[in-house]
Amino acid sequence: MSNDTNTSGLQLRSLVTDDGHLQLFLKSAPITEPGPDEVVVRIEATPINPSDQATLIMPADVSTGVTTGSGEDTRYTAKLRKGIESRVQARIGKPLAVGNEGAGTVIKAGSSDAAQALLGKIVAVLDGALYCQYRTVNVMQCMPMNQGTTARDAASCFVNPLTALGFVETMRMEGYKAIIHTAAASNLGQMLNRICLEDGIDLVNIVRKKEQAELLKSLGAKYVCNTSEDTFMADLTAALEETGAYIAFDATGGGDLGSRILSCMEKAALKDVARPGPYGSTTFKQLYIYGGLDISPTYISRNFGFSWGINGWLLTPFTQKIGLEKTMVLRQRVADELHTTFKSHYSDEISLSEALDKDTVAAYSQQATGRKFLINPSK
């Protein structure tokens, strides 16, 4: 089904060195022959998500970045951020592959019926090492695309869509009726907003800029609270009183935003309680931290009673919890609504070598709303 006869391809690697630097470079690697239930995918589109940043560039002080060489010999080097050394100790000397998801064409397939059925098709892939030109993966790591879907369309099928759907499923499983979400103007946040509008779920969006609030409101969001406003705490409490949203998913992680959310939950829960007891409300308030946009410590001021929980939330453990059958249902919804509910937007498309340019690294490390980078390894 393919005229591609390459026996090797380039991979992007991220390395922390023992002299206090982070390096990004390209490495040639052989294309592994597929086993019976495996396929070889020519990767044609793979996004730079916040979940990729932790491995790719988070440890680096990008203001010190320098790029040398060109083409396959391009190398990016930057000093480590001050205070980050202990957190990356285990990485020193280990060139790590990067890229959690992507999409491309299946150019070779193993002998099983499931593998052969994918030959020549566009598939989305979930793997962890997809900033590369070719990748051999198990068929269960692939999501076949509907007719007419391009690799660019399919590049972000897993992380953001399944995470957003996972938030909704977690809400339902734990008996809540509405959701709070931070960094809500992101690609993921916009998807979650569309899901909640479609499914009739109240969503309280938290942003940090006026233009982000205006963007979400233009997309139909009813509840948008801006942390930069003096009225943020009052606005959030009012939204929670109206929606009954006592489960929150926080992308920032660091700082005191999570604590402030729990405080507003408690105020909303006590709205009609004349004489609160010493232990606060009986309403259980759940905060899930699923990202680390703020890498500073998480601060909690315990002024929200004793009925609360703070946990981490990650996609892979969630899908393991709900099982394969339910996960496949969610995957199919993503494939069916890829051009509507789960549509992703990219501001920049770059090659593997361009991903090592110091100015480009500085740009995608900012994780700015409205700017999302797509790597095209075939470019």
Side-chain angles (χ1 to χ4, degrees), residues 18 55 86 110 126 194 254 265 273 278 367:
D18 57 9
T55 301
S86 62
L126 183 68
R194 292 193 289 268
M265 287 182 179
V273 178
Q367 301 181 29

Side-chain angles (χ1 to χ4, degrees), residues 5 10 30 109 175 215 241 285-286:
T5 58
L10 294 175
L215 170 63
E241 290 174 354
K285 301 164 289 291
Q286 178 65 58

Side-chain angles (χ1 to χ4, degrees), residues 253-276:
D256 67 349
L257 180 56
S259 182
R260 297 166 74 190
I261 292 170
L262 288 168
S263 297
C264 291
M265 287 182 179
E266 179 73 352
K267 289 179 182 178
L270 291 173
K271 178 185 178 184
D272 298 319
V273 178
R275 293 186 177 182

Side-chain angles (χ1 to χ4, degrees), residues 220-272:
K222 182 177 180 181
Y223 303 98
V224 185
C225 301
N226 185 350
T227 59
S228 66
E229 298 286 347
D230 293 338
T231 58
F232 168 67
M233 296 290 280
D235 294 341
L236 180 57
T237 301
L240 303 189
E241 290 174 354
E242 188 170 338
T243 62
Y246 293 107
I247 183 170
F249 296 90
D250 177 31
T252 60
D256 67 349
L257 180 56
S259 182
R260 297 166 74 190
I261 292 170
L262 288 168
S263 297
C264 291
M265 287 182 179
E266 179 73 352
K267 289 179 182 178
L270 291 173
K271 178 185 178 184
D272 298 319

Side-chain angles (χ1 to χ4, degrees), residues 24 64-70 73-78 353-361:
L24 303 178
T64 66
V66 175
T67 300
T68 57
S70 61
D73 297 321
T74 305
R75 183 176 293 261
Y76 171 87
T77 304
S353 61
E354 288 171 337
L356 311 187
D357 174 77
K358 67 181 183 66
D359 294 329
T360 304
V361 173

